[in-house]
Structures are given as C-alpha cells and as structure tokens.
Amino acid sequence: MSDLGVRRTAEQVLALAPDDASRRAGSKLGAAGPWSETGAGAEGAPGAVWGLCKGSGSKPYQTVVDTAGPAYKCSCPSRKFPCKHALGLLLLLASDGDGFAAAQEPPAWAQEWLAARRKRAERSTEGDAGAGAARTADPEAARRRADRRAARITSGVSELERRLADLVRGGLAGADQAGGTSRSEPAGGYGPWEETAARMVDAQAPGLAGRARELGLIPSSGAGWPARLLEESALLHLLNRAWLGVDGLPEQLATTVRTRVGLPSGPEGEQIRDTWSVLAQYDTSDGKLTTRRIWLHGRTSRRWALVLGFGVAGRAPEPALPVGLAVDARIAPHAGAGQLRAAWGEQFGAPEAMGSPPAGGTVAAAAEAYGTALLSDPWLDTWPVVLSDVVPLPPGERAGWRLADAAGGAALPLTARAVDRPGLWKLVALAGGRPLTVFGECGHRGFEPLGAWSAEAAGMVALT
C-alpha cells in the first residue's frame, strides 16, 4: 500500500462520471501524454493527487483531487462534476501510479483548495450542534407547518383511495397498455395515473406520487401484469390506511409510514464509526433527478447501511464512494422500523482493501431475511443479502435466469433489470460454472446481483 492508500481501479474511477460523454472524454485523458507535474500523497495532504493537463489553450488546466472524499477541483470551464480532467487524472493514477511524484507539499494552487476544504469540514463539524438548536428555535411555527402539510397529505390520500376504488370497481382488465384505469376511460398513455401523481405532488406527498406513477407503468410490463397491478394497488391501499391511522401506530412503524408517504426523515441517535465495506454503488434517473444508492457493510458492527445521494442533470450525486474498498468513517442511521438508510458522515483516512466478503448464506436464508424485514416494513422493495456457493443458471422451459445453491435445492429468479444489464454476463464469466459468492438485493421482483467474489479473481468484482 502506498501513501495514497489503495488505488481505485479504472472501473471504479469511471463509475464516478456524471454521464457517458464524461466517461468517454475522461478515458482519453487517462494516459500520460497531456499531463505534467503530477504529484500525490504529501504528508500535509494525504490522499491528494494533482497535475497539469494540456488543453486547447496556452495555459494547462490545473486539476486536483482529494481521493479521500473524493472531491475535485479543476480550472477548466466544464460544469460537469467531476470533469473529464479529474477523471483522466484518476485513471492515470490507476494505470501508472508510480509516475506521480511523492511531493512533500502540493503546489500553491492545489494547496489553497485543500486548505479551504479542511476549514469547511471543521466549520461543518462545529456547526452541527448549533444547527439542531436553530431548527427548533420556533417549535410552535414548525408544528403549525407540520399540521398544514399533514392535512394536505390526508386530503391527497383520500383522493388516491377513491382512485383505487374506481380501479377495482371498473376491473383490472381495463387498465391496459393504453393507460386507462377502467374500461370507461379513454386511451391516453399513462395520463390518468400521471394526473393522479401530479395531485399527490400538490398534496406534498412525493412518496405517494412515485407509487401512483409506477401503477401506470405496470400494464406495459409484460405477462402477468394484472397480478402485479393488484399487488401494488393493495400495498398502496395499505399505506393509505396506515397514514389515516398513523397516530395510533407504534412510533417506529409510524416513522416508516411517514417516510413512505414522502415526509423527510433525518438521522437519529448515535453515529456509528466502523470500517465500512463499499459493496455497491449505482444510479437511477427519472430524467430530472438522479438517485444514487450505495450499500455498506460494517466490518466490526456487521450492520448493513444504505446511503442515498441525489443530483440534478449534469451533476453526479454525492457522495461517491470506492466500490470494492473499505472506508473508516462514521454514519448516522435514520429512524424508522427496519430502516437501513443512513447519512454518510466524517471519514478518517484514505480507503483501504476490503478483505473477505461479508458472511453469506443459502438462497433459503436470503428469502427468509427479506421476509423477516417485511414484518417491520411491508413496503420494503429489497433487502441486502450475500449468497455463498451459488451458481448462475440460464433460462429453462419454465424459468428465466436464476441463482441456485450449488449443493442443489432452492434458486432465486433474477429481476428483469438484472437480466437486461451487462453485469449478468460478467457474473456468468466470473463463475465459469463454478460456485461463487454474490452480493445483491433480494426482493419480491427477484434477486439483483451487484457484486461477486470467486476463488480465481482478486477482490470483489462490481456487477453494476
């Protein structure tokens, strides 16, 4: 290990790119040609790398990256974050780290930014305690705002219940691919449910809006859609009823209901410091907002944690953590029954090697773990699990792609999204017909592999 800690692989670096165009442009800058005065890992700036990149102008761009974050600074005019120069610098480090001079101190232009980052981090730490007090400075006003929003949500829930009743009364067969919720409604794409989702946004219930929008997509999701539509409608009805009686629920379950409806939830209780293995990181987008999901597992605490990040178009969500490595850091768990969400907190030092994968189990144990989690949160889509000694099985006459216990017995079907992604073929190639260990999300739609270990490969192989 160098003073830079464990270097990111090229795949891990490219996972930081905000879009495909940045990924392609950054790859072209991952060679030594345009770079000069590259340096890294000074005692006063551990984890920092920097360099000058020749562009079209007379003055080279000044690029510096704090790999512990990671965080980036570049003098180029790009509004993307990280820019292609930061990606190229990290790719160069991944392929030729020995070419980086281990300077005692960064150049002045890099040192200035690194010092400013340290000061901001110190102010943020000092301000956390004061922020809590500021938020509760006027509890009566906060209570009135909360009451007004709760009343709007209740109105929206009542309207959504009427919409679901109309759906059942008209018959599911009418909710065909044209998007109508009953035979009496005209075709119009997904308009009816989009309109309902918009009404839920007006009611300040974004969680309900998202679920209403998903209902409109089910009739075009292939064979068996009526059963899926009924299942999702039943879960939405359950959530509506839970909201209408939320004051009588146990506090943990009530918090979960409020979160599922769309009310914000913040960290609660003590922060947990551990060495967190970064098992997966992937983004999903609705066209306006990109959501990043990062799965962590504590080396000492054995806890699972899910860190979410959000970014608007053109900007990658934060944080960006190194998949396949481990980070000494604090996280702050959110409240709620069975919730795994946590906020990423203070980080200590550079990432290090992950080591052995978390303890795994059988397919039956994975299904049981998901079922147990549903007892606390019936609206839970997936649960993180590690499967040991499983093999991928290709589609048969009556089943699609599956992961099965190598010793025989149970198998988990893969989700439609997993089958469509290139990660499936990476998994098949990694296995080569032999058992392997797989991390992924287990849910009612099947299993989605996100990372894998085999006896022949060094470290974890990301499948996202």
Side-chain angles (χ1 to χ4, degrees):
M1 185 184 302
S2 71
D3 51 0
L4 281 172
V6 177
R7 296 173 192 161
R8 286 173 167 80
T9 64
E11 188 176 46
Q12 291 166 345
V13 172
L14 292 175
L16 302 173
D19 52 35
D20 288 339
S22 298
R23 199 170 291 114
R24 290 192 296 271
S27 297
K28 294 178 181 177
L29 296 175
W35 292 97
S36 62
E37 300 184 26
T38 52
E43 292 182 358
V49 293
W50 57 86
L52 301 178
C53 186
K54 181 175 175 52
S56 56
S58 59
K59 188 176 180 180
Y61 296 120
Q62 300 170 336
T63 307
V64 55
V65 178
D66 181 356
T67 60
Y72 322 90
K73 173 68 175 179
C74 185
S75 60
C76 76
S78 174
R79 299 178 64 180
K80 294 183 178 179
F81 195 78
C83 68
K84 62 182 181 182
H85 304 100
L87 292 170
L89 183 65
L90 290 176
L91 288 171
L92 180 63
L93 178 68
S95 63
D96 185 23
D98 295 337
F100 283 69
Q104 290 300 313
E105 292 294 341
W109 55 266
Q111 182 60 47
E112 181 180 356
W113 176 73
L114 293 167
R117 272 184 52 78
R118 283 196 295 272
K119 289 182 179 178
R120 283 198 298 271
E122 292 170 359
R123 286 198 299 267
S124 177
T125 302
E126 294 170 356
D128 282 347
R135 284 193 294 268
T136 58
D138 190 352
E140 181 60 26
R143 186 192 62 77
R144 289 196 297 269
R145 287 195 297 272
D147 288 346
R148 287 196 294 270
R149 182 169 184 179
R152 292 192 186 99
I153 293 175
T154 299
S155 177
V157 163
S158 299
E159 181 175 343
L160 188 53
E161 280 291 273
R162 290 194 292 273
R163 172 66 79 175
L164 291 174
D166 290 343
L167 172 66
V168 175
R169 189 179 301 110
L172 298 182
D176 57 11
Q177 294 187 11
T181 56
S182 71
R183 291 184 184 279
S184 62
E185 290 179 334
Y190 305 115
W193 286 110
E194 281 292 346
E195 179 187 351
T196 303
R199 299 295 293 269
M200 295 305 107
V201 172
D202 292 341
Q204 296 184 294
L208 295 179
R211 289 182 174 273
R213 195 172 290 113
E214 289 176 2
L215 286 184
L217 300 175
I218 291 176
S220 62
S221 61
W225 67 263
R228 291 194 293 276
L229 181 60
L230 185 59
E231 292 168 355
E232 295 298 332
S233 297
L235 282 172
L236 184 51
H237 171 66
L238 179 64
L239 182 57
N240 290 338
R241 301 305 302 175
W243 170 262
L244 295 176
V246 68
D247 292 338
L249 296 177
E251 184 53 36
Q252 285 287 306
L253 181 57
T255 301
T256 298
V257 170
R258 295 187 185 101
T259 302
R260 293 299 182 186
V261 166
L263 291 175
S265 68
E268 185 177 278
E270 294 184 0
Q271 295 189 356
I272 303 170
R273 180 174 178 176
D274 203 341
T275 300
W276 297 97
S277 297
V278 185
L279 297 178
Q281 173 177 292
Y282 66 93
D283 298 344
T284 58
S285 175
D286 63 359
K288 298 179 180 177
L289 184 70
T290 299
T291 301
R292 170 165 294 167
R293 292 167 64 88
I294 304 175
W295 281 113
L296 307 173
H297 186 266
R299 183 179 294 172
T300 302
S301 64
R302 310 296 182 190
R303 290 180 62 129
W304 290 103
L306 174 64
V307 175
L308 298 180
F310 304 94
V312 297
R315 295 184 70 89
E318 294 284 350
L321 301 180
V323 178
L325 300 181
V327 184
D328 181 5
R330 285 196 180 99
I331 66 166
H334 283 225
Q339 296 294 300
L340 296 180
R341 186 179 175 186
W344 186 251
E346 184 179 3
Q347 180 175 327
F348 305 92
E352 60 184 62
M354 179 190 299
S356 303
T362 64
V363 164
E368 182 180 355
Y370 175 56
T372 302
L374 286 176
L375 294 175
S376 300
D377 182 358
W379 306 279
L380 187 68
D381 289 327
T382 61
W383 188 256
V385 296
V386 176
L387 301 175
S388 298
D389 294 325
V390 291
V391 292
L393 298 179
E397 291 185 359
R398 297 185 177 180
W401 279 97
R402 293 147 289 158
L403 271 178
D405 288 326
L412 281 174
L414 299 189
T415 65
R417 188 171 64 171
V419 173
D420 291 339
R421 287 194 294 105
L424 171 63
W425 301 108
K426 194 184 295 185
L427 176 66
V428 172
L430 184 65
R434 298 177 294 273
L436 73 172
T437 300
V438 181
F439 164 72
E441 296 174 341
C442 183
H444 63 277
R445 297 185 179 90
F447 183 82
E448 180 148 5
L450 301 174
W453 297 260
S454 76
E456 288 72 24
M460 191 191 82
V461 176
L463 304 175
T464 54

